[in-house]
Amino acid sequence: QVQLVESGGGSVQAGGSLRLSCAASATVFSINGMGWYRQAPGKQRELVASISMTTRSTTNYADSVKGRFSISRDTAKNTVYLQMNSLKAEDTAVYYCNAQYFTSFNEYANGRPLDAWGQGTLVTISS
């Protein structure tokens, strides 16, 4: 299975930067993609950014973070990073790492990945 270990959360002032890291330890057939979600108090969990872990490093960002956040990967280490710049108070949330993976070739062929989640790391932005 896949275990995700997150790091890098904390508190900064608005306009500052933080970098989140998520390392996946896995004994699975394939990790298809990884990403970051966040959940603010009283709100639903939302996608922040995602990146493919296959040959193409396709990325996807929420509109609210485009131009400020950047997701990158180190496939050799099964690690993804989220560089967050120009942080705003509304970025305050618990950030969760996500991995989509396949445990077998059959699952891969069926195109139905499983989900793994990290424990979450708190990001607090003060204005």
Side-chain angles (χ1 to χ4, degrees):
Q1 304 306 315
V2 176
Q3 294 182 329
L4 304 175
V5 178
E6 303 151 337
S7 61
S11 299
V12 297
Q13 290 188 332
S17 298
L18 283 174
R19 189 189 193 212
L20 305 183
S21 299
C22 175
S25 59
T27 53
V28 296
F29 177 76
S30 169
I31 296 179
N32 190 56
M34 296 182 69
W36 290 93
Y37 287 70
R38 67 186 181 187
Q39 187 166 19
K43 294 188 177 181
Q44 290 188 332
R45 189 174 297 189
E46 62 175 358
L47 173 68
V48 177
S50 64
I51 187 167
S52 170
M53 299 297 280
T54 58
T55 303
R56 295 182 180 180
S57 58
T58 305
T59 58
N60 184 40
Y61 295 92
D63 288 342
S64 59
V65 306
K66 284 180 180 177
R68 300 188 298 121
F69 290 12
S70 177
I71 190 169
S72 60
R73 69 181 192 179
D74 183 337
T75 54
K77 297 180 179 179
N78 277 343
T79 299
V80 294
Y81 308 94
L82 185 67
Q83 178 66 43
M84 304 185 293
N85 299 326
S86 302
L87 284 161
K88 305 176 181 180
E90 51 263 43
D91 294 319
T92 295
V94 177
Y95 284 69
Y96 296 92
C97 181
N98 169 265
Q100 293 190 329
Y101 65 97
F102 300 101
T103 61
S104 68
F105 176 78
N106 283 342
E107 282 184 354
Y108 172 78
N110 290 330
R112 295 179 178 179
L114 303 176
D115 279 299
W117 293 93
Q119 78 282 3
T121 184
L122 179 62
V123 171
T124 303
I125 311 303
S126 57
S127 56

